[in-house]
């Protein structure tokens, strides 16, 4: 003899009333699994095919910086898979730690840092010495504007050109970025020094003061 349990509205209502959490959990697991699969399988450009610009203390809108990086991508490096910018603000408690982790991990390519942070990390040799690309005019800048970019390296005691002062690059104001007391530099071992120099050269020559 087979005992049959007829499906009624009351049974359905009770089922969902007491079993709703199971469906919510199932949906969460499905979404998590899908996101995990997407993250693991999506294309990640190698270091040599991307340029990342990290800007400290900026209030720039994502749209403004996206337009800037899109212009750089289209005009001078269309062969790159990715050209993007990230803004960050360093809080008093964890800011130094976060920046140290990024630099130690060679995360990012071109940085725009406050003068204090630039000098601190440059002294430890964290950035590329730009003297050679300035001398051969690969990076076209006025030598008289570079004083704030020279830093004495702690280990060797040598003074090197590790950055380009951004004070005169007034075009940054239009992007919501305050260039005063900031320095542009290229991270050592970023994985894409050639294109980082091209990126930096674009900034210097397209965002500079008209009087320069």
């Amino acid at each position: 003899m087979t005992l049959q349990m007829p499906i009624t509205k009351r049974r359905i209502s009770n089922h969902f009333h007491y079993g709703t959490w199971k469906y919510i959990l199932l949906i969460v697991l499905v979404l998590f699994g899908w996101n995990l699969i997407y993250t693991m399988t999506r294309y990640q450009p190698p270091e040599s095919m991307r340029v990342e610009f990290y800007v400290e203390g900026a209030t720039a809108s994502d749209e403004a910086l996206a337009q800037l990086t899109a212009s750089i991508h289209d005009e001078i490096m269309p062969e790159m898979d990715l050209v993007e910018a990230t803004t960050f603000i360093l809080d008093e408690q964890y800011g130094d730690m976060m920046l140290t982790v990024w630099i130690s991990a060679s995360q990012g390519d071109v940085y725009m840092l406050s003068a204090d942070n630039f000098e601190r990390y440059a002294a430890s040799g964290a950035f590329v010495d730009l003297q050679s690309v300035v001398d051969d005019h690969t990076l076209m800048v006025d030598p008289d504007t570079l004083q704030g970019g020279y830093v004495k390296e702690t280990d060797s005691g040598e003074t090197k050109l590790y950055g380009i002062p951004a004070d005169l690059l007034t075009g940054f104001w239009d992007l919501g970025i305050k260039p005063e007391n900031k320095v542009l530099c290229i991270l050592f071992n970023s994985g894409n020094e050639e294109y980082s120099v091209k990126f930096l050269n674009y900034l210097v020559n397209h965002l500079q003061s008209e009087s320069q």
Side-chain angles (χ1 to χ4, degrees):
M1 179 178 179
T2 302
L3 181 63
Q4 302 206 352
M5 305 272 301
I7 298 175
T8 65
K9 290 183 178 180
R10 182 177 180 181
R11 290 182 184 279
I12 294 174
S13 177
N14 287 339
H15 172 76
F16 282 104
H17 178 74
Y18 294 106
T20 300
W21 67 271
K22 297 179 183 178
Y23 291 96
I24 294 175
L25 178 60
L26 178 62
I27 292 172
V28 170
L29 290 175
V30 169
L31 291 176
F32 175 78
W34 176 260
N35 184 67
L36 183 63
I37 292 172
Y38 173 76
T39 301
M40 294 177 64
T41 58
R42 70 176 177 175
Y43 173 66
Q44 296 285 353
E47 294 290 346
S48 61
M49 294 301 295
R50 66 187 185 200
V51 177
E52 297 173 290
F53 181 34
Y54 279 46
V55 185
E56 178 188 349
T59 58
S61 68
D62 292 339
E63 182 179 354
L65 276 176
Q67 290 177 352
L68 172 65
T69 54
S71 295
I72 296 174
H73 189 191
D74 294 342
E75 293 178 29
I76 65 171
M77 52 184 73
E79 63 273 26
M80 288 291 101
D81 287 344
L82 179 68
V83 180
E84 64 179 6
T86 299
T87 62
F88 63 93
I89 296 176
L90 301 177
D91 62 59
E92 294 182 0
Q93 186 172 6
Y94 299 110
D96 288 344
M97 183 185 302
M98 180 177 69
L99 186 55
T100 298
V101 169
W102 286 349
I103 290 177
S104 299
S106 298
Q107 184 170 334
D109 299 284
V110 180
Y111 274 73
M112 185 174 185
L113 299 175
S114 65
D116 289 341
N117 280 328
F118 161 72
E119 291 176 8
R120 182 154 56 93
Y121 288 99
S124 65
F127 306 124
V128 173
D129 182 358
L130 301 173
Q131 192 65 62
S132 62
V133 292
V134 170
D135 291 343
D136 68 11
H137 305 295
T138 300
L139 182 58
M140 295 180 288
V141 294
D142 181 353
D144 294 333
T145 67
L146 300 178
Q147 186 59 39
Y150 288 95
V151 176
K152 185 177 181 179
E153 191 177 55
T154 303
D155 291 340
S156 67
E158 297 180 31
T159 298
K160 299 179 180 180
L161 180 63
Y162 282 121
I164 305 298
D167 301 72
L168 298 178
L169 305 183
T170 57
F172 273 119
W173 286 103
D174 297 331
L175 301 173
I177 299 173
K178 182 180 178 180
E180 293 179 341
N181 202 36
K182 297 285 180 61
V183 183
L184 291 159
C185 47
I186 296 174
L187 195 61
F188 189 75
N189 284 339
S190 69
N192 199 352
E193 183 176 325
E194 178 186 355
Y195 280 88
S196 296
V197 171
K198 290 183 178 181
F199 186 98
L200 183 55
N201 191 60
Y202 184 100
L203 297 180
V204 170
N205 288 282
H206 285 75
L207 300 179
Q208 66 180 331
S209 169
E210 292 182 0
S211 62
Q212 299 298 312

